[in-house]
Amino acid sequence: MNEKKVEAKKWYQKLPNTYVILFLLVCLAGVLTWVLPAGEYTRKAVEGIWRPVVVPGSYHLIDSQPANVFDIFKAIPQGFVGASGIIAIIMLSTGAFTVIGKTGALDAAVGALLGKVRRGRMPSTVVIWIICFLFSALGIIAGPEIQIPFTTISVAIALGLGYDIVVGLAMIMGAGYTAFATAPINASLLGTAHSIVGLPIFSGFGFRSIMWFVSTVLVCIVISIYAKRVKKDPSKSYAVGISTEGLGFEEESEKLSGKQIGVLLVILGLFVAIIIGSSKLGWYLNEMSALFVISGILAGLVYGLKINEIVDGFLLGFKNTASVAMILAIARGIQVILDNGKVMDTIVHVLSAPLANFSPSVSAIGMFFVTMIIHFFIPSGSALSVTVMPIYSPLAEILGITQQTAVLCMQLGASLTNIIFPTAGAMIAMCGLAKVPYVKWLKFAMKLFWATVGLSILFILLAVKINFGPF
């Protein structure tokens, strides 16, 4: 009798699913409120900055407020409230793209692109680079949350090219997050930091532009290497065994009807509105959510769908993203517990204090890594900026590091970890939409993460060497 050989599971295959991992982290946050002393910085309002700013040297202990068991479970509905903006844009945009999917316009447009690849007119690797640079360019202006709705499109293109869902997720998330981390005109993170330290807004544009381009090229290379390996041997995919039903395009017709061209013009208008709204009008989640609703309705009307068909499309989108909303709520619960337990500032204080004991180069790299750790507990880039920059700014003067270099260290540290930290709402949402379990995404993402970290360290050392200044 032939017995099938039972293959031993690897460590990442033994891990629980994303829901369990996140809830365990919420519990761990609750434990920290009992272990760490409660403390806080004094904060003050500063003109031109919408969040109160930390007063350097003002950290002090306060009465402990540890979380109990009920607080841990209460953090989940509180997480829904805290993540409501992201949840809204995910559900509304998915509804809009479900309506757009009914028109077949994107299927036909991508089909034309894939047709060129299959006829040998365009290498599939070139498509990866085009998609990566497209989302990277968008990431300079708009935060990762704005790119969430395009996840399924990126995944569908990757599947059409013969790759796996990890490649599709990497093209949008890897490129988008890297661009957000190195962007020369990032309003929420870079603009806030420049305001705090007194530098001209978006100064250092040339240095950061070079850093953005080189970083995006590195991301393209890492993704291309993995994609080539998967296409040659599908068994080496990190997504083996995961169903891709509903992720690829149903049809790949290369012919576009007049109505479908009209739908594509609506999508183009959506991109233009996102860019103008983000860069010129200060729009963010609420305004972007409204844009997706308008685009979904317009696309349906242009194609000739009935009102009930449009509504059904939105409702189906809501249904398909309910699980993603739950994941986001649990992830935000980690921050809720730490904030309510008054240990968030303690974590910042403990991590930042030792930096004054090292040389400029070592301290700069230390700022970079300390910011990464703090970012796990403070997922919001703008909130992180107003928390650590008032501490880093005087510290940089003591160490002989320019203010621009201190901002650079914070900017990179506050963004690169977004592709691996489960507290990053957009990352968790994109994994959910792409049907890639967090632990499997992590296996690929760690390679991308360490590659970009290594490159970032080189740019930080260069910034220290040249005394990276205001311009």
Side-chain angles (χ1 to χ4, degrees), residues 1 33 56 92 102 105 155 170 174 185 207 237 240 277 285 296 306 312 332 339 348 369 379 383 391 413 417 453:
M1 180 184 294
T33 64
L92 293 171
K102 289 175 174 289
V155 170
I185 53 173
F207 185 93
S237 167
V240 171
L285 294 179
K306 296 178 180 179
D312 288 343
R332 183 58 66 94
D339 282 336
V348 175
F369 281 107
I391 300 171
T417 51
V453 164

Side-chain angles (χ1 to χ4, degrees), residues 313-398:
F314 274 99
L315 292 177
L316 180 59
F318 300 161
K319 177 183 177 181
N320 292 338
T321 51
S323 60
V324 179
M326 188 64 188
I327 288 174
L328 285 171
I330 299 174
R332 183 58 66 94
I334 300 168
Q335 184 180 356
V336 169
I337 289 289
L338 295 174
D339 282 336
N340 292 344
K342 301 299 181 183
V343 296
M344 189 74 80
D345 284 0
T346 298
I347 294 170
V348 175
H349 176 70
V350 170
L351 290 173
S352 60
L355 292 174
N357 301 320
F358 300 99
S359 66
S361 294
V362 174
S363 296
I365 296 173
M367 286 181 181
F368 171 55
F369 281 107
V370 165
T371 305
M372 286 185 179
I373 298 172
I374 295 174
H375 186 43
F376 180 88
F377 303 98
I378 308 179
S380 168
S382 57
L384 181 64
S385 183
V386 298
T387 300
V388 304
M389 281 317 302
I391 300 171
Y392 284 181
S393 181
L395 183 61
E397 293 179 358
I398 296 172

Side-chain angles (χ1 to χ4, degrees), residues 151-152 155 165-166 168-170 172-173 242-244 247 324 428-437:
T151 303
T152 51
V155 170
I165 52 179
V166 173
L169 186 58
I172 183 169
M173 195 192 302
I242 299 176
S243 172
T244 60
L247 290 176
V324 179
I428 290 295
M430 289 181 180
C431 283
L433 291 173
K435 298 184 180 180
V436 178

Side-chain angles (χ1 to χ4, degrees), residues 284-298:
Y284 197 43
L285 294 179
N286 290 338
E287 293 83 1
M288 297 304 169
S289 295
L291 281 178
F292 281 108
V293 174
I294 294 169
S295 299
I297 294 173
L298 280 179

Side-chain angles (χ1 to χ4, degrees), residues 128-129 131-140 147 169-182 212 215-216 219-220 223 419 441 448:
I128 291 178
W129 282 60
I131 300 298
C132 283
F133 265 94
L134 174 64
F135 287 118
S136 182
L138 185 60
I140 291 177
Q147 301 204 39
L169 186 58
M171 288 193 295
I172 183 169
M173 195 192 302
Y177 268 128
T178 300
F180 189 74
T182 57
W212 163 77
S215 299
T216 303
V219 169
C220 291
I223 296 174
I419 65 170
W441 164 250
L448 190 60

Side-chain angles (χ1 to χ4, degrees), residues 170 173-175 177-178 181-182 215 218-220 222-223 238 365 368-373 375-376 409 411-422 424 427 438 441-458:
M173 195 192 302
Y177 268 128
T178 300
T182 57
S215 299
L218 177 62
V219 169
C220 291
V222 173
I223 296 174
Y238 296 151
I365 296 173
F368 171 55
F369 281 107
V370 165
T371 305
M372 286 185 179
I373 298 172
H375 186 43
F376 180 88
C409 296
Q411 178 188 4
L412 292 169
S415 302
L416 292 179
T417 51
N418 283 332
I419 65 170
I420 61 171
F421 279 173
M427 184 274 288
Y438 169 68
W441 164 250
L442 193 62
K443 191 175 182 184
F444 171 82
M446 288 304 297
K447 297 178 181 180
L448 190 60
F449 170 71
W450 286 119
T452 52
V453 164
L455 183 62
S456 296
I457 290 174
L458 293 178

